[in-house]
Amino acid sequence: NTHKSPAIRWTRDDDGIVILTIDDPAASVNTMNDAYTESMAASVARLEAERESIKGVIFTSAKKSFFAGGDLNRLRQYDTGRAAEQTAHIERVKSDLRKLEKFGRPVVAAINGTALGGGLEVALAAHHRVVADVPGCQIGQPEVTLGLLPGGGGITRLVRMLGLQKALTQVILPGTKFGPREALAVGVVDEIVESVDQLIPRAKAWIAANPNAAKPWDKKGFEIPGGSAASPALSSVLPAMAANLRKQLKGAPMPAPRAALAAAVEGSLVDFDTASLIETRYLVSLTTGQVAKNMIGAFFFDLQKINAGASRPAGYPKYQAKKVGVIGAGMMGAAIAYVAAKVGIEVVLKDVTLAGAQKGKGYAVKLEQKALERGKTTQEKMDALLARIKPTDDPKDFAGIDFVIEAVFESVELKHKVFKEIEGFVEPTAVLGSNTSTLPIALLAEGVQRPADFIGIHFFSPVDKMQLVEIVRGKNTSDAVLAKVFDFVLQIRKTPIVVNDARGFFTSRVIGKFINEAVAAVGEGIEPATIEQASLQAGYPAGALQLLDELTITLTQKIRQETRKAEEAQGKTWVPHGAEAVVDRMIDELGRKGRSTGGGFYEYDAAGKRIGIWPGVREAFRSGSKQIPFIDMQERMLFAEAIDTVRCVDDGVLTSTADANIGSIYGIGFPAWTGGVLQYINQYKGGLRGFVARARELAAAYGPHFEPPASLVAKAERGERYE
Ligand code: NAD
């Protein structure tokens, strides 16, 4: 009675229930590839042929996860010339799910693990979804975060299950990955069981109790909960939703959320099968475009490479930190202590005084109390987490510690001093990490007895929200220590990139180029509001001038002076950038140092809220006296960062394209639609050659720093791309 097909196993019980177990023989997870498509078609045909003797169908999987989703490798290969072919393929996959839904027998999805994207869509075609509450199980439609939309029936079914508003705002547009309990609360699954072995019995019981299961939308008189887009209640809400979306996207070229909204709204006005076709068409409009390819490349393939350890030295045992020592309980140290304690690591948090250290621990208390209020944690978990953070002023408390992260003020002497204080107490092989954002690792390592164990562990603020950690390898740092730090970053559930020691590392150095372009433009007489709008419409999360005000204008001046001194000491000639005179004038002449000291390019009200561009800036720099094409302003920022990233590759600061792409998006706000800073070059119109030609145009108009580096020109001539 057991029939073997490529990706779906058929078993049939004496009670007439067919269990279809999805188990791709060629991969560790199930995806909507050809093996699945063919097996599904064969299974559905067999079900139809044997309908009379079948009482119900259960879908489950033999993998750890239920179903991983669409075949992203396939999806990112589509182009406009193959739109018809892709439409036909998607419709074929969907038609089998639709047949199952209308099969006339109850169909249950027994979800044994993660069901994301196309994986959840397979389950949504069933009449009932039971999920096992297993750790790490994720359920949701994250397509929009990959530049796609749930076009495998997800939009059409979710709108009919949850109503337009809920489906869009809680599931489809945010792309949230829910845990089993959250998924139940939102309504994307129907039932929860404690363990995987309870799934099939529960599914069978449901089949027995619901022999005539059918979807509500296949019954007469069905109406979408809350009404279609044409209903009076919704027709007043939907325009506001569209406006809101526009506001959130700030004009960035991200087509997926808009397409998802349109597919849901238009689909709500027609019957199920027409809606499903509309959804397919919108999906194909996205997959054949460039943005989805960029985003799939970054948020799926690059992240996968990074997490699999492409930049981690091989051959070292997996490391798990147990007890971490954090020196400096200020803004960064306090937050680092919190994220470590959160994953179960014991933390000793040291500051100059015990009161200072306790104040740092207060940060964890504050965040945990908020989490408790929101139901995101329990009193018990919160107490345990807080008990793991031990505030101290005594270096002796570093006894037994094998992982140190220093986050005191940015001073070489001070950093040398605090490492001396603790070196005698920590384990003899302890990692000696510094969270410095600008100081050379080699210089800091001179202050410790074991320079091979010294390394940069560069966090971003706010630490609990920012996903990236830039690991900076000094010239003496050992592979063993690098591997440990890499594992630690994964342990605290963040994303590690690995770079080599050089001034500004990768992130601080490259973000400076973005800011410089905006500041230089102010000096040229371009309207500051236009410059900010150009940043936002290019897809940056904030305007460059706003960002600089927050970082403080004096910081860039100080970094530039130090960089210049160091480069001149090496015999290099310094080529001034147009931004420098503007920064100097802002500080020295106009007394505008940034937000924390009363204002910079912007003025702020008493509560620190941005009011608008400070009129003095417009006056001093004759804003509006010069105009350049809007696209030039945008591309100056994007190109300046991309070109400097190429120089980082040339200098050996960066050794991985995936690290560059993800580091730029997660660390310094490079626009997500590009797929990251090197992918931006790959995907530029005309590819690398097109990029080189445009860079030369920008160089002629805006300065020699846009001149494409020789390595890039050579790569373009060879017809290669950044892989
Ligand atoms: P901060 O001023 O908020 O905190 C520094 C803390 O170090 C203070 O609490 C101070 O009391 C403590 N300290 C000073 N001397 C000490 C000693 N001898 N022993 C123990 N503690 C001592 O500064 P921050 O913003 O948290 O920055 C700390 C480090 O992190 C710096 O190197 C900075 O460059 C780096 N960093 C900062 C950011 C950011 O956005 N603020 C981002 C990345 C990296």
Side-chain angles (χ1 to χ4, degrees), residues 180-478:
R181 290 192 181 275
E182 293 170 299
L184 182 69
V186 173
V188 295
V189 300
D190 305 299
E191 208 180 334
I192 255 189
V193 292
E194 292 304 317
S195 61
V196 171
D197 53 7
Q198 290 168 279
L199 281 173
I200 301 295
R202 268 312 302 151
K204 286 188 174 176
W206 193 87
I207 288 170
N210 297 274
N212 299 314
K215 284 292 172 69
W217 45 89
D218 289 321
K219 293 178 188 164
K220 266 217 167 57
F222 170 76
E223 288 203 18
I224 293 175
S228 78
S231 71
L234 275 180
S235 58
S236 62
V237 176
L238 288 171
M241 249 173 86
N244 237 334
L245 192 61
R246 207 169 308 130
K247 195 170 149 209
Q248 273 172 27
L249 297 173
K250 296 176 184 129
M254 308 257 267
R258 289 190 186 87
L261 178 65
V265 167
E266 290 165 28
S268 78
L269 300 169
V270 293
D271 64 90
F272 183 96
D273 293 303
T274 312
S276 175
L277 185 59
I278 290 174
E279 176 203 271
T280 299
R281 291 255 150 80
Y282 274 110
L283 174 60
V284 172
S285 78
L286 295 176
T287 53
T288 51
Q290 187 58 47
V291 172
K293 292 177 180 61
N294 295 344
M295 293 179 81
I296 291 170
F299 297 111
F300 189 79
F301 290 102
D302 284 344
L303 270 183
Q304 198 177 47
K305 254 185 227 158
I306 288 174
N307 289 326
S311 293
R312 179 196 190 275
Y316 295 90
K318 192 174 155 60
Y319 172 78
Q320 287 278 298
K322 289 193 188 67
K323 197 170 174 190
V324 169
V326 178
I327 318 175
M331 184 171 100
M332 298 301 286
I336 294 167
Y338 174 63
V339 296
K342 206 169 167 179
V343 298
I345 300 173
E346 298 286 329
V347 182
V348 175
L349 179 59
K350 182 187 174 301
D351 210 291
V352 188
T353 62
L354 182 58
Q358 277 161 342
K359 184 162 168 256
K361 179 171 174 175
Y363 182 76
V365 176
K366 197 181 84 194
L367 287 188
E368 278 297 284
Q369 263 160 359
K370 234 191 240 160
L372 187 65
E373 276 162 31
R374 293 196 186 136
K376 299 241 177 225
T377 189
T378 62
Q379 184 73 46
E380 206 185 353
K381 278 191 195 155
M382 165 176 164
D383 292 345
L385 187 158
L386 294 175
R388 282 193 287 272
I389 304 178
K390 181 186 161 69
T392 186
D393 59 353
D394 187 352
K396 286 203 269 313
D397 285 330
F398 274 54
I401 278 175
D402 74 339
F403 200 106
V404 177
I405 305 170
E406 166 279 314
V408 300
F409 305 129
E410 192 77 332
S411 143
V412 177
E413 294 71 32
L414 179 62
K415 287 182 193 285
H416 281 172
K417 175 174 162 260
V418 299
F419 275 107
K420 272 212 179 69
E421 270 171 22
I422 53 93
E423 259 197 302
F425 296 105
V426 298
E427 291 292 298
T429 57
V431 171
L432 304 172
S434 173
N435 180 44
T436 179
S437 38
T438 56
L439 301 171
I441 296 306
L443 183 60
L444 293 180
E446 286 171 11
V448 300
Q449 283 157 19
R450 295 179 284 118
D453 295 335
F454 199 91
I455 191 164
I457 312 177
H458 183 207
F459 285 84
F460 295 78
S461 176
V463 174
D464 53 298
K465 296 225 175 66
M466 296 288 282
Q467 189 52 38
L468 191 75
V469 177
E470 183 178 33
I471 303 176
V472 189
R473 170 181 204 152
K475 68 174 191 300
N476 294 314
T477 307
S478 74

Side-chain angles (χ1 to χ4, degrees), residues 412-623:
V412 177
E413 294 71 32
L414 179 62
K415 287 182 193 285
H416 281 172
K417 175 174 162 260
V418 299
F419 275 107
K420 272 212 179 69
E421 270 171 22
I422 53 93
E423 259 197 302
F425 296 105
V426 298
E427 291 292 298
T429 57
V431 171
L432 304 172
S434 173
N435 180 44
T436 179
S437 38
T438 56
L439 301 171
I441 296 306
L443 183 60
L444 293 180
E446 286 171 11
V448 300
Q449 283 157 19
R450 295 179 284 118
D453 295 335
F454 199 91
I455 191 164
I457 312 177
H458 183 207
F459 285 84
F460 295 78
S461 176
V463 174
D464 53 298
K465 296 225 175 66
M466 296 288 282
Q467 189 52 38
L468 191 75
V469 177
E470 183 178 33
I471 303 176
V472 189
R473 170 181 204 152
K475 68 174 191 300
N476 294 314
T477 307
S478 74
D479 276 358
V481 161
L482 176 57
K484 276 188 184 177
V485 174
F486 190 94
D487 293 348
F488 167 78
V489 174
L490 292 182
Q491 190 184 355
I492 58 170
R493 303 199 189 114
K494 298 209 178 281
T495 304
I497 62 165
V498 178
V499 308
N500 285 309
D501 191 17
R503 204 157 270 281
F505 316 134
F506 160 53
T507 55
S508 307
R509 164 176 168 174
V510 169
I511 198 174
K513 310 297 176 210
F514 161 60
I515 291 170
N516 269 352
E517 238 24 64
V519 173
V522 171
E524 291 160 24
I526 295 165
E527 188 65 66
T530 306
I531 301 169
E532 295 294 79
Q533 205 49 42
S535 322
L536 294 175
Q537 291 195 22
Y540 288 98
L545 302 174
Q546 179 194 338
L547 180 67
L548 180 53
D549 266 10
E550 270 153 33
L551 293 172
T552 74
I553 304 177
T554 35
L555 179 70
T556 53
Q557 192 187 45
K558 187 169 158 246
I559 292 175
R560 182 229 311 160
Q561 286 163 348
E562 282 171 7
T563 311
R564 178 171 185 164
K565 213 165 79 192
E567 290 199 358
E568 284 177 344
Q570 290 167 10
K572 289 188 195 160
T573 18
W574 181 260
V575 187
H577 187 281
E580 295 172 18
V582 178
V583 163
D584 293 344
R585 210 171 150 202
M586 284 294 282
I587 297 168
D588 304 333
E589 191 182 307
L590 304 172
R592 305 287 292 183
K593 298 181 183 166
R595 178 180 180 164
S596 56
T597 49
F601 289 97
Y602 283 88
E603 37 174 5
Y604 300 85
D605 67 14
K609 200 171 165 263
R610 249 178 311 125
I611 299 172
I613 296 293
W614 181 56
V617 167
R618 301 199 64 253
E619 207 174 294
F621 299 102
R622 297 179 304 113
S623 301

